[in-house]
Amino acid sequence: MAKKDKKIDYDTYDSSARVKLGTSDYVIRGIGYVFVTLYALACIFPFLLIIGTSFTSEAVIRSAGVQLFPRDFTTEAYDMVLKGGAIWKSYLLTILMTGIGTGVGLLVISMTGYALQRKDFVLRNVISFFIYFTSLFQAGLAPYYLLMTQTYHLKDSYFAVLLPLLMSPWLIILMKNFVKSIPFEITESGKIDGAGDMKIFTSLILPMLKPALATIGLFLALGYWNEWYQSSLFLSSKVDAYPLQYMLYKVVNEANSLKNSVAAQFVTVTDLPTNSLKMATAVVATGPIVLLYPFVQRYFIGGITVGAVKG
């Protein structure tokens, strides 16, 4: 009898552990699902519109505007973007810069954020102030250009694109806040066991920063992948290849210039796929990074919640 009563108690406990939803709960959830679905569709719709227009002929775009579903299907815009092989050089260069910049940037930012949270680091507040100060005040474009070209001699060097994006005050502050969630007692326990600072960082701290590394790594990767401004300042025709975004920017500008040039009066350029070319370049440039995002999404969400206030 006792066993039977005990079994009944367990069954009662299991059933009570489940949250019972009332009518109001289902209504609120339903409204939430509707709004989230509409918001997701609003985010996806422009991208689908770009894809549909990129496969639409220029004549249809001029007469009927952009298209969600391709009309007069053509791949002429993609042929113009991909022909010649220059696009593949730019892809390789951008992938290398993104990989190297993201890896080195994560190492530097994580080490900086960890050092600024060490209670036994005397200058942590002073260095934190200088890092934060640079996010508020900047010297301007002209001094920056002279610094990179005259002082560092990085004109027509890929380091002029790689180094400025390696780290930023905001990412350092973000990593610093991530490290706050790690108890300092872990560092002290490593010291008691005889581990050095680098050993403590690589063996104890770094494995606990995976969500933070994924979050900041995504920001760094997006910054390198979408970079074009530094390239426009410091890279000229002397370099072998341009980063992807800047190369595609030049393709679109050259197409527009051709249509508006004097030479256009003597050749037939009315069918030049200028508008569809812009859409095709956007697809080519953003496609890989969009496909990469789902693989780091769970780390990204986990990284956002690190350091949240617990009730």
Side-chain angles (χ1 to χ4, degrees):
M1 184 68 181
K3 292 183 178 180
K4 184 176 181 181
D5 293 338
K6 188 175 182 180
K7 183 178 180 180
I8 293 175
D9 291 340
Y10 278 125
D11 292 340
T12 304
Y13 173 79
D14 292 338
S15 61
S16 63
R18 301 173 184 173
V19 178
K20 296 182 179 180
L21 301 178
T23 304
S24 60
D25 296 321
Y26 285 111
V27 172
I28 294 175
R29 286 194 176 189
I31 295 174
Y33 290 150
V34 170
F35 276 103
V36 170
T37 302
L38 292 177
Y39 182 76
L41 291 176
C43 295
I44 296 174
F45 181 76
F47 191 70
L48 297 178
L49 198 65
I50 291 174
I51 295 176
T53 305
S54 66
F55 288 105
T56 302
S57 66
E58 187 69 15
V60 174
I61 296 175
R62 288 200 305 269
S63 61
V66 295
Q67 302 292 316
L68 180 61
F69 301 101
R71 290 173 53 187
D72 193 7
F73 185 89
T74 178
T75 59
E76 185 178 3
Y78 288 95
D79 293 337
M80 292 188 64
V81 173
L82 300 178
K83 71 179 181 181
I87 184 70
W88 305 118
K89 292 183 179 180
S90 297
Y91 252 114
L92 180 60
L93 175 63
T94 302
I95 291 172
L96 289 175
M97 293 185 64
T98 301
I100 296 173
T102 302
V104 177
L106 281 177
L107 179 62
V108 174
I109 291 173
S110 60
M111 293 177 67
T112 305
Y114 170 64
L116 295 178
Q117 281 304 304
R118 286 284 296 264
K119 296 181 180 180
D120 54 349
F121 182 37
V122 180
L123 299 178
R124 66 182 186 277
N125 292 329
V126 177
I127 296 177
S128 297
F129 169 76
F130 282 115
I131 292 175
Y132 179 69
F133 183 83
T134 60
S135 66
L136 300 177
F137 301 97
Q138 297 181 358
L141 180 59
Y144 173 66
Y145 183 83
L146 293 176
L147 176 69
M148 298 292 287
T149 57
Q150 302 299 323
T151 304
Y152 297 146
H153 303 286
L154 294 179
K155 180 66 175 177
D156 293 324
S157 173
Y158 294 124
F159 284 105
V161 181
L162 185 68
L163 295 179
L165 301 178
L166 201 61
M167 57 193 305
S168 69
W170 181 74
L171 292 180
I172 293 175
I173 294 172
L174 184 62
M175 178 60 75
K176 178 182 174 182
N177 292 331
F178 276 128
V179 182
K180 279 184 179 180
S181 62
I182 300 177
F184 185 69
E185 288 74 16
I186 294 179
T187 300
E188 292 180 334
S189 66
K191 284 187 173 183
I192 293 174
D193 293 336
D197 291 333
M198 185 58 67
K199 184 66 175 179
I200 292 174
F201 174 73
T202 56
S203 300
L204 299 179
I205 304 300
L206 203 58
M208 303 178 68
L209 292 178
K210 288 182 179 180
L213 295 175
T215 303
I216 295 178
L218 180 62
F219 288 140
L220 288 173
L222 287 174
Y224 279 107
W225 189 268
N226 295 324
E227 202 292 313
W228 66 272
Y229 182 67
Q230 303 287 336
S231 302
S232 66
L233 292 177
F234 304 114
L235 299 184
S236 65
S237 57
K238 295 181 180 179
V239 298
D240 295 332
Y242 296 112
L244 181 62
Q245 299 290 345
Y246 183 58
M247 195 279 294
L248 297 179
Y249 169 79
K250 288 175 64 67
V251 168
V252 174
N253 280 349
E254 289 172 359
N256 289 331
S257 299
L258 179 60
K259 292 191 69 172
N260 298 325
S261 65
V262 177
Q265 301 176 8
F266 305 100
V267 296
T268 304
V269 293
T270 55
D271 293 331
L272 187 67
T274 306
N275 294 306
S276 59
L277 181 64
K278 296 177 182 178
M279 302 301 179
T281 54
V283 174
V284 171
T286 60
I289 206 69
V290 170
L291 296 176
L292 177 65
Y293 179 76
F295 295 98
V296 298
Q297 181 181 11
R298 63 188 184 98
Y299 295 106
F300 183 76
I301 296 174
I304 292 177
T305 58
V306 171
V309 178
K310 297 181 180 180

